[in-house]
Structures are given as C-alpha cells and as structure tokens.
C-alpha cells in the first residue's frame, strides 16, 4: 500500500469513495498521454475522471503524484509490449522487428492517443518538473537497456556481425522508436511506418549464422 493510500485511510470515516480508482487513473493517464503534464489542467482531469478536484487530491495527493501513477500504469500496460516482444522471439532480428512493429500498432490505434506517452512526455514537460523528467527518462532508459541486452545476446549467439557495436545499435533502435512516436503523433499512417521499420531492420548487421548452425545440427541428427 502506498503512503498516499495510508494517509487517505487515516482520514476520518465518512461517505465511501464513490468512484472506481483504477478506472479514474486510466482516464487520467489518457489525458496526460494526449496533452502532457504541463498541457493538462485540473479541469481537464476533473472532466475526464468524472470526479471533483477535492476527490482527486484526496485519492492521489497532487497532480504530480497522479502523473507518476499514470506513468506507472502506462509502463505495465501499453509500455510492456517491448518486453513481451523481446521475450517471445528467439531470433534477435525478429525481436527488434517485433518491438518496433508492436509499438507502431499501439501508437496508431484509432482508439488511443498517438505517440508514446513517455517519449512525448519527456519532450513536452517544462522547466520546474525535474523529478518528473527524471522519471520519464528512467522509463525510456529501461527500454534502451532491454534492447541492448537482446543485442548483446545476439552478438554472443553469432547473430550479429562480430564487430557490431551493441551500445550504438541500441541507441539507434531507441532513436528510431522515438522517431516513430513523433511520426505517429503527427498522423503518419501505420503502413508507412511499417515500411520504414522493415527498411531499418534490414540494414542492421544481423547474420544468418545461428540459423545455419541449427540447420547443420538438424541434418546431422
């Protein structure tokens, strides 16, 4: 239980909270996702969450704390697709392609705001919110580390050229992922982004060495 919830529980008993906290948090996340922290007013949150501002402060403490919880929710829902894509694909090339393509699918859904909440949030947050900026940067860095770990594994498995710089490649992948977010936010179509992703992945220095080894092993059995 968070300290904020503990503080809320210590309040004198009264009328029960008349809203679904998780549903309200998701609606707040969508507003922050669309407008960013600075562009989102309390009246925007009141309208979206369908609760008054005293109830918002009682449940979440402050706009900043509400934003932190919204980022946490994004990380375990929409933001989790990168980890899932890497886990579900044995080939490094397929894993990187899946990361980019699944993000495109998420970013271009008609029912969802366009662009990555973390990437756009980092760009749009203003001076005076350094702790929130650091939180967003930390989330982005965790994705970069996942991609680099997968590339390091590919290098060890012989899937990447022996002289490949995994750190530089991971930075390049994150740069492309960030660019996809901006392009999706600007209305570029899903198919155009998928075509660009295919072109990018084809240029990465993956080899077919691991597949060849597996093929020879199957022939010798």
């Amino acid at each position: 239980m968070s300290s904020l919830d503990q503080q809320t529980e210590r309040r004198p008993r009264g009328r029960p909270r008349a809203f679904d906290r998780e549903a309200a948090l998701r609606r707040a996340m969508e507003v922050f996702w669309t407008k960013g922290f600075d562009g989102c007013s309390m009246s925007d949150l009141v309208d979206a969450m369908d609760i008054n501002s005293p109830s918002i402060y009682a449940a979440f403490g402050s706009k900043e704390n509400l934003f932190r919880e919204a980022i946490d929710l994004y990380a375990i829902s929409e933001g989790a697709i990168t980890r899932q894509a890497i886990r579900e694909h044995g080939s490094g090339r397929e894993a990187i392609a899946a990361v980019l393509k699944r993000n495109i699918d998420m970013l271009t859904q008609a029912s969802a705001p366009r662009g990555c909440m973390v990437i756009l949030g980092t760009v749009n947050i203003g001076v005076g919110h350094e702790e929130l900026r650091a939180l967003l940067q930390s989330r982005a860095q965790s994705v970069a580390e996942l991609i680099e770990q997968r590339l390091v594994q590919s290098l060890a498995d012989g899937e990447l050229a022996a002289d490949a710089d995994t750190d530089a490649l991971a930075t390049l992948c994150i740069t492309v992922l960030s660019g996809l977010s901006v392009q999706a936010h600007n209305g570029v179509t899903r198919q155009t982004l998928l075509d660009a992703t295919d072109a990018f992945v084809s240029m990465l220095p993956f080899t077919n060495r691991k597949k060849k080894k597996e093929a020879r092993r199957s022939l010798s059995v």
Side-chain angles (χ1 to χ4, degrees):
M1 180 182 293
S2 69
S3 59
L4 185 57
D5 284 336
Q6 290 173 342
Q7 292 170 10
T8 303
E9 282 203 349
R10 285 197 293 267
R11 293 176 182 274
R13 291 185 177 274
R15 189 173 182 177
R17 192 183 285 155
F19 67 93
D20 183 328
R21 191 180 192 278
E22 291 185 8
L25 177 59
R26 172 157 286 277
R27 290 194 291 269
M29 182 193 78
E30 291 169 355
V31 177
F32 282 130
W33 192 354
T34 303
K35 296 190 173 185
F37 179 81
D38 289 333
C40 176
S41 66
M42 281 304 299
S43 62
D44 291 328
L45 293 169
V46 167
D47 290 342
M49 299 169 75
D50 196 26
I51 54 177
N52 58 35
S53 55
S55 294
I56 293 175
Y57 285 115
F60 299 98
S62 66
K63 180 184 174 184
E64 288 79 4
N65 285 344
L66 176 57
F67 183 74
R68 290 187 183 93
E69 289 202 37
I71 289 295
D72 288 342
L73 176 60
Y74 180 86
I76 63 175
S77 52
E78 282 81 356
I81 59 177
T82 296
R83 186 181 300 276
Q84 293 168 355
I86 289 176
R87 185 189 305 121
E88 293 170 5
H89 290 80
S91 160
R93 184 191 295 275
E94 292 172 353
I96 297 302
V99 167
L100 297 174
K101 290 180 179 180
R102 290 191 188 183
N103 272 276
I104 288 172
D105 288 340
M106 183 267 290
L107 296 172
T108 57
Q109 286 177 359
S111 60
R114 297 189 174 216
C116 171
M117 183 178 180
V118 171
I119 292 170
L120 296 179
T122 304
V123 172
N124 294 328
I125 199 162
V127 176
H129 301 295
E130 294 307 317
E131 290 186 4
L132 296 182
R133 183 187 299 278
L135 171 65
L136 293 166
Q137 290 173 337
S138 174
R139 293 294 187 187
Q141 181 60 31
S142 67
V143 174
E145 289 171 356
L146 281 174
I147 292 175
E148 182 170 10
Q149 289 167 9
R150 186 62 187 84
L151 291 170
V152 168
Q153 180 184 337
S154 292
L155 183 63
D157 291 342
E159 291 183 308
L160 276 175
D163 60 349
D165 184 336
T166 55
D167 182 60
L169 288 175
T171 299
L172 179 59
C173 289
I174 288 297
T175 301
V176 170
L177 187 57
S178 299
L180 291 173
S181 180
V182 174
Q183 293 284 65
H185 181 71
N186 290 338
V188 177
T189 66
R190 175 180 180 276
Q191 189 57 53
T192 298
L193 297 178
L194 289 173
D195 291 343
T197 293
D198 288 340
F200 168 69
V201 174
S202 71
M203 293 185 291
L204 294 175
F206 284 103
T207 69
N208 293 323
R209 193 174 304 165
K210 184 177 181 181
K211 291 184 178 180
K212 289 178 180 178
K213 286 181 180 179
E214 291 173 348
R216 286 198 298 269
R217 188 181 302 117
S218 64
L219 288 173
S220 64
V221 174

